[in-house]
Amino acid sequence: MAGELINEAESNDVDLKAKSLTLTTKTNTAVSTMELGIYTFGDITPDPNSGRTISTAQRYAEILAAAKLADETGLHVFGVGEHHRLDLPISSPAVVMAAIAGGTKRIRLSSAVTILSTLDPVRVFQDFATVDLLSGGRAELIAGRGAYIESFSLFGDDFANYDALFAEKLDLLLRLSESERITWNGRFRSSLNNSQISPRPAGKLPIWLGVGGNPESALRAGELGLPVILANISQPPANFVTQIAAYRQRHAERGHDASTLKVAIATHTHVAKDSQRALDEFYPYYSAYFREHAPRANLSGEVLRDVYEKRAEPGGPIFVGSPQQIIDKLMYERELFAHDRFLGQVDIGGLPYAKVARSIELLATHVLPAIRGSGVNQVC
Amino acid sequence: MAGELINEAESNDVDLKAKSLTLTTKTNTAVSTMELGIYTFGDITPDPNSGRTISTAQRYAEILAAAKLADETGLHVFGVGEHHRLDLPISSPAVVMAAIAGGTKRIRLSSAVTILSTLDPVRVFQDFATVDLLSGGRAELIAGRGAYIESFSLFGDDFANYDALFAEKLDLLLRLSESERITWNGRFRSSLNNSQISPRPAGKLPIWLGVGGNPESALRAGELGLPVILANISQPPANFVTQIAAYRQRHAERGHDASTLKVAIATHTHVAKDSQRALDEFYPYYSAYFREHAPRANLSGEVLRDVYEKRAEPGGPIFVGSPQQIIDKLMYERELFAHDRFLGQVDIGGLPYAKVARSIELLATHVLPAIRGSGVNQVC
């Protein structure tokens, strides 16, 4: 039961191996396998060890290489973030996803996230429908509000309308997905009068709602019948159990199609063969990332080593460790959330590409087979 | 001299082989080679012979294949149009260009055209800078107003401001290209206040002005110091000699960098080994294209065979014929315009891909070597 899950989670010391799982909210979906993916913001950060900064063109090339590697090794999803700062130089995720599409065969391509509040939903839908057509139906979109606020002033949207903008634009985006001609009126965009929305995607475009911890956002996803992705980089995951349970409940109450009841979790991730090595080698990069790019006062500045280690603990949010530690935390979070997808941000803070590639390879070769073969995935 | 060129052109019966060229406006650029490329609008048209219509996904796949073939066979440019109709289902050229980038190595990638009047120049610049980064600096942009008007109502722009919208947006786009931070005020877009414009392209993004025959547009390109591309699908090319000469004159008068003084010509193109076969086999597709998609009253409806044949004549605008006929017309137009680039739209009206591919191959194997080796290209 949801309540039982919450209590287990909040106790924060669950012994996974000793318990049988009680993920009753998932019993109707039969056998499901958790999807495993990665995502990037493409941050440009001087390597804290060498002091070197790679060019934006090189960063893009490494992102294409990472996506190709993830595809070849069998990961399920590659996500691309949207920002509007020179130090986070990907502002057009759909364009990057299209470039990745050509070099990959199976991996699903997603934004992570599309800052819908400051975009025109018509252009967004057109861009992602185009990626879908170019990739054989592999495009997905995560609509979010973003942790950064530069796009509001850049595109002339009033931050005071933060929520109203997002709500209206999400409503329009969902309608565009339903029909190739649309008549629509709203507050923040000109009217549409039997307008043709072209092109149409290869299939129905999966649209997720990205949430960062606001309980109302998760409820909105349930209300609208959308899959939800929780980005959590700083708090114990157990804190969000109530929120995800509420999402499931609202989704069910509204009678939406069960195929749209999906949960994904996203966070910072670094994998090495040895747990201590993973923890030690990642810290300078992790720390540099927060020092250089943190979006808000409560996240900015130096992350002290003890805070970092706390976040990397079994009950903490970030995935830093050996493959077995990653597997253990996935299974712990699976008990909390019964989630369908995990996405790791593996390339932050100027981490050299060779280490990014190693994380991807270890996720694919060691973590993926374990979650495929685990009872957790087979019985839920 | 410009006047001499105009008189020659207007007489419309120039014998190229008997004349020496007098393209004095080009003498400062030393040896130049004309670039040869193709472009697509991705129109969906039932094949007039078989009655079959391919899916939008298949159309996209054939566009990727055409671009790859053009790259492999040595053509210089591949252009992608922007429209907002279900029967012309490419609305995001930059997304398509990014997908092409991954499968190609040398060919330059351009929009054809970007309907700047109804786009936000900031988003446009971001999209094309992204393509430039993903393609090793191969992105170009043609800013135009488009022959179709659907985008005005779709994006809430008033067609009454047709010219003012374009002028203001072009001004902003050019400024975005100059500087990574910008302060700007205008009538049709919110202000920018030391805003970061990210990402920056790999190199300076070539921005062309697309013109369709309006003399003021060509003068604007000269005034601003932009390369100009003339799309002419229905009139004798000689009619535009005055306009192109005026462009060159204005460009020179304003003292702009000579490297930005460039002329390109774009039109419908179909090549087959035998001239009569080219003419006969293309007509049903050419005719179907105008019947299904023509944007304006003066172009719509049935194009009778005699009109078609007139357009395909040596002094007409369209390039339909054997490789030698294509070469002859390129050289004729080169005398008129001393142009730097020719782009042929080779895939209209439901023409099967095998025939599109043959046009591309013949352009690459027969036409390209001839214009490379011709005195026309070497002495201008």
Side-chain angles (χ1 to χ4, degrees):
Chain A
M1 308 300 159
E4 196 176 330
L5 266 179
I6 294 163
N7 292 337
E8 284 176 5
E10 286 177 347
S11 74
N12 211 4
D13 59 358
V14 184
D15 178 357
L16 283 176
K17 278 146 201 160
K19 279 185 186 295
S20 65
L21 295 169
T22 55
L23 304 172
T24 53
T25 50
K26 293 289 285 181
T27 49
N28 293 332
T29 58
V31 175
S32 75
T33 301
M34 186 191 288
E35 293 178 322
L36 195 58
I38 57 174
Y39 65 107
T40 184
F41 287 177
D43 64 288
I44 297 286
T45 313
D47 182 319
N49 291 330
S50 71
R52 278 199 299 255
T53 306
I54 63 172
S55 69
T56 304
Q58 177 64 22
R59 188 70 164 102
Y60 271 73
E62 291 179 3
I63 287 168
L64 295 186
K68 196 171 167 61
L69 178 62
D71 181 58
E72 288 169 353
T73 57
L75 296 188
H76 299 106
V77 188
F78 192 90
V80 181
E82 175 192 340
H83 298 82
H84 297 276
R85 299 159 52 115
L86 292 163
D87 60 345
L88 291 162
I90 297 179
S91 53
S92 305
V95 178
V96 177
M97 289 160 64
I100 293 172
T104 56
K105 292 191 171 65
R106 289 174 302 273
I107 199 163
R108 298 197 65 79
L109 308 170
S110 182
S111 57
V113 304
T114 292
I115 310 174
L116 190 59
S117 312
T118 55
L119 278 157
D120 176 6
V122 174
R123 292 278 183 196
V124 171
F125 186 79
Q126 291 179 322
D127 287 351
F128 282 75
T130 304
V131 176
D132 202 51
L133 287 162
L134 290 164
S135 66
R138 291 187 279 138
E140 303 196 3
L141 185 157
I142 305 174
R145 299 191 285 193
Y148 296 77
I149 61 168
E150 290 84 359
S151 64
F152 285 87
S153 60
L154 186 61
F155 299 112
D157 294 301
D158 187 348
F159 194 72
N161 296 325
Y162 186 78
D163 196 68
L165 275 165
F166 187 76
E168 178 177 304
K169 292 187 176 196
L170 182 59
D171 168 69
L172 175 53
L173 181 66
L174 295 173
R175 293 194 196 196
L176 297 173
S177 179
E178 295 300 329
S179 171
E180 65 183 26
R181 287 175 192 265
I182 185 165
T183 297
W184 182 91
N185 284 287
R187 179 177 162 203
F188 298 110
R189 192 209 187 278
S190 61
S191 300
L192 297 164
N193 184 15
N194 197 32
S195 304
Q196 295 180 41
I197 305 300
S198 173
R200 307 307 303 172
K204 187 169 163 68
L205 186 71
I207 297 173
W208 297 67
L209 194 72
V211 303
N214 180 340
E216 292 306 313
S217 294
L219 279 180
R220 191 202 313 258
E223 191 71 32
L224 295 171
L226 300 177
V228 72
I229 175 163
L230 170 70
N232 172 30
I233 59 173
S234 61
Q235 297 185 52
N239 292 1
F240 297 98
V241 167
T242 315
Q243 201 172 115
I244 296 301
Y247 158 74
R248 291 189 184 281
Q249 187 175 346
R250 181 65 60 92
H251 193 290
E253 283 168 4
R254 291 294 177 266
H256 295 298
D257 184 338
S259 70
T260 63
L261 199 165
K262 285 190 185 176
V263 175
I265 305 292
T267 197
H268 295 135
T269 297
H270 183 70
V271 199
K273 284 209 169 170
D274 171 75
S275 61
Q276 192 60 43
R277 178 172 162 196
L279 203 63
D280 289 343
E281 77 177 1
F282 188 50
Y283 178 65
Y285 299 97
Y286 182 83
S287 175
Y289 179 76
F290 278 87
R291 205 163 47 234
E292 300 278 342
H293 312 286
R296 287 191 296 234
N298 64 336
L299 292 173
S300 70
E302 200 65 29
V303 178
L304 298 177
R305 174 88 190 203
D306 63 334
V307 172
Y308 165 70
E309 289 193 7
K310 188 89 184 156
R311 290 179 184 171
E313 278 178 358
I318 67 175
F319 281 62
V320 179
S322 66
Q324 189 55 50
Q325 287 176 307
I326 303 298
I327 294 164
D328 290 346
K329 192 172 278 194
L330 281 172
M331 294 178 81
Y332 165 65
E333 289 203 351
R334 178 83 176 188
E335 178 152 354
L336 299 181
F337 302 122
H339 55 310
D340 306 275
R341 177 181 284 188
F342 173 81
L343 299 182
Q345 189 178 6
V346 293
D347 64 347
I348 63 172
L351 189 71
Y353 178 68
K355 290 196 166 58
V356 175
R358 195 194 54 202
S359 270
I360 294 169
E361 281 164 356
L362 289 173
L363 285 172
T365 56
H366 287 65
V367 178
L368 200 55
I371 64 168
R372 269 192 187 132
S374 77
V376 175
N377 293 284
Q378 300 308 315
V379 300
C380 294
Chain B
M1 305 298 162
E4 195 178 330
L5 267 177
I6 293 163
N7 291 337
E8 283 177 5
E10 287 179 345
S11 76
N12 212 3
D13 58 359
V14 184
D15 179 358
L16 284 175
K17 278 145 201 161
K19 277 184 189 293
S20 65
L21 295 170
T22 54
L23 305 172
T24 53
T25 51
K26 294 287 287 181
T27 50
N28 292 331
T29 58
V31 175
S32 75
T33 302
M34 187 193 287
E35 292 179 322
L36 194 59
I38 57 174
Y39 66 106
T40 184
F41 287 177
D43 64 288
I44 297 285
T45 313
D47 182 320
N49 291 331
S50 70
R52 279 198 297 255
T53 306
I54 63 172
S55 70
T56 304
Q58 177 64 22
R59 188 71 164 101
Y60 271 72
E62 291 180 1
I63 288 168
L64 296 185
K68 196 170 165 64
L69 178 62
D71 181 58
E72 288 168 353
T73 56
L75 296 188
H76 300 104
V77 188
F78 192 90
V80 182
E82 175 192 340
H83 298 83
H84 297 276
R85 299 159 52 115
L86 292 163
D87 60 344
L88 291 163
I90 298 179
S91 52
S92 305
V95 177
V96 178
M97 290 160 63
I100 293 172
T104 56
K105 292 191 171 66
R106 289 174 304 273
I107 198 164
R108 298 197 66 79
L109 308 169
S110 182
S111 57
V113 303
T114 293
I115 310 175
L116 191 59
S117 313
T118 55
L119 278 156
D120 176 7
V122 173
R123 292 278 183 197
V124 171
F125 186 79
Q126 291 179 323
D127 286 351
F128 281 77
T130 304
V131 176
D132 202 52
L133 287 162
L134 290 164
S135 65
R138 291 188 278 138
E140 304 196 4
L141 185 157
I142 305 173
R145 298 191 284 193
Y148 297 77
I149 62 169
E150 290 84 0
S151 64
F152 285 86
S153 60
L154 186 61
F155 299 112
D157 293 301
D158 187 347
F159 194 71
N161 296 324
Y162 187 79
D163 196 69
L165 275 165
F166 187 77
E168 179 176 303
K169 293 188 174 194
L170 183 59
D171 169 70
L172 175 54
L173 180 66
L174 296 174
R175 293 195 195 197
L176 298 172
S177 179
E178 296 299 330
S179 171
E180 65 183 28
R181 288 175 192 265
I182 184 165
T183 297
W184 181 92
N185 284 287
R187 179 177 161 203
F188 299 110
R189 192 208 187 278
S190 61
S191 299
L192 296 164
N193 184 15
N194 198 32
S195 303
Q196 295 180 41
I197 305 299
S198 174
R200 307 307 303 171
K204 187 169 165 66
L205 185 71
I207 298 173
W208 297 66
L209 194 72
V211 302
N214 181 341
E216 291 306 313
S217 295
L219 278 181
R220 191 203 311 258
E223 189 72 32
L224 295 170
L226 299 176
V228 71
I229 175 163
L230 169 70
N232 171 31
I233 60 173
S234 61
Q235 297 184 53
N239 292 1
F240 298 98
V241 168
T242 316
Q243 201 173 114
I244 296 302
Y247 158 74
R248 292 190 185 280
Q249 187 176 346
R250 182 64 61 91
H251 194 291
E253 282 168 3
R254 292 294 177 266
H256 294 300
D257 185 336
S259 70
T260 64
L261 199 166
K262 285 189 185 174
V263 175
I265 305 292
T267 196
H268 295 136
T269 299
H270 182 70
V271 199
K273 284 209 169 169
D274 171 76
S275 60
Q276 191 60 43
R277 179 171 162 197
L279 202 64
D280 289 343
E281 78 178 1
F282 188 50
Y283 178 66
Y285 300 97
Y286 181 84
S287 175
Y289 179 76
F290 278 87
R291 204 163 47 233
E292 301 279 340
H293 313 287
R296 286 191 298 233
N298 63 335
L299 293 173
S300 70
E302 201 66 29
V303 179
L304 298 178
R305 174 90 190 203
D306 63 333
V307 172
Y308 165 69
E309 290 194 6
K310 188 89 185 155
R311 290 179 184 172
E313 278 178 0
I318 68 174
F319 281 61
V320 179
S322 67
Q324 189 55 49
Q325 287 176 306
I326 303 297
I327 294 164
D328 290 347
K329 191 172 277 193
L330 282 173
M331 293 177 81
Y332 165 64
E333 290 202 351
R334 178 83 176 187
E335 177 154 355
L336 299 182
F337 303 120
H339 54 310
D340 306 275
R341 176 181 285 186
F342 172 82
L343 299 182
Q345 189 177 4
V346 292
D347 64 348
I348 63 172
L351 189 72
Y353 178 69
K355 290 196 166 58
V356 175
R358 195 194 53 200
S359 270
I360 294 169
E361 281 164 354
L362 289 173
L363 284 172
T365 56
H366 288 64
V367 178
L368 200 55
I371 64 168
R372 269 192 187 132
S374 75
V376 175
N377 293 283
Q378 300 307 313
V379 300
C380 295

